């Protein structure tokens, strides 16, 4: 999976409106988060957040769960998950995004 496809997928995910027709679930958002961090930063390099930071702990735990994954594998997993979500939508907007990713 190319870095260009990954960057296009990231741009699409970040541009999705919160109340739009394509809404990844919280689980899918964590999936994107962990593979984005793994692809752009690498293995976890910060201490686990404190007891009361529930969101921070969930994000840290998700990222930690993919420790050791290569940058290229993280690119691929991120793009494949977005394509899976878009194909499920079967809307014109989703088809446009799929075409943009495949052209990258």
């Amino acid at each position: 999976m190319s870095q260009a496809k990954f960057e296009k997928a990231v741009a699409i995910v970040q541009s999705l409106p919160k109340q739009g027709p394509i809404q990844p679930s919280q689980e899918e958002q964590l999936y994107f988060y962990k593979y984005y961090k793994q692809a752009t930063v690498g293995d976890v390099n910060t201490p686990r957040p404190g007891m009361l930071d529930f969101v921070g702990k969930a994000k840290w735990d998700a990222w930690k769960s993919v420790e050791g994954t290569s940058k290229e594998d993280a690119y691929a997993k991120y793009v494949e998950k977005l394509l899976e979500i878009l194909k499920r939508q079967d809307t014109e907007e989703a088809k446009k995004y799929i075409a943009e990713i495949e052209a990258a």
Side-chain angles (χ1 to χ4, degrees):
M1 191 65 58
S2 72
Q3 184 173 351
K5 285 187 191 313
F6 171 74
E7 288 171 356
K8 175 50 80 178
V10 168
I12 290 169
V13 168
Q14 291 177 343
S15 73
L16 292 175
K18 288 188 188 286
Q19 302 305 319
I22 302 169
Q23 291 188 6
S25 68
Q26 278 196 312
E27 186 178 312
E28 290 165 336
Q29 289 174 23
L30 270 178
Y31 188 95
F32 288 130
Y33 177 81
K34 69 184 178 182
Y35 284 111
Y36 174 81
K37 292 295 277 187
Q38 192 66 23
T40 59
V41 177
D43 289 343
V44 172
N45 59 1
T46 59
R48 189 169 191 252
M51 253 174 44
L52 299 176
D53 184 357
F54 301 111
V55 172
K57 283 194 306 188
K59 291 166 83 173
W60 191 92
D61 290 344
W63 183 13
K64 180 79 171 167
S65 75
V66 296
E67 198 166 54
T69 302
S70 72
K71 181 183 286 196
E72 293 74 22
D73 285 348
Y75 287 165
K77 297 237 186 241
Y78 190 101
V79 172
E80 287 164 7
K81 177 58 88 175
L82 179 57
L83 289 172
E84 173 190 316
I85 292 167
L86 292 173
K87 288 174 182 168
R88 234 182 17 228
Q89 295 297 317
D90 197 34
T91 63
E92 287 308 310
E93 183 179 26
K95 289 175 185 171
K96 179 184 76 110
Y97 288 145
I98 291 168
E100 288 177 15
I101 292 169
E102 289 172 349

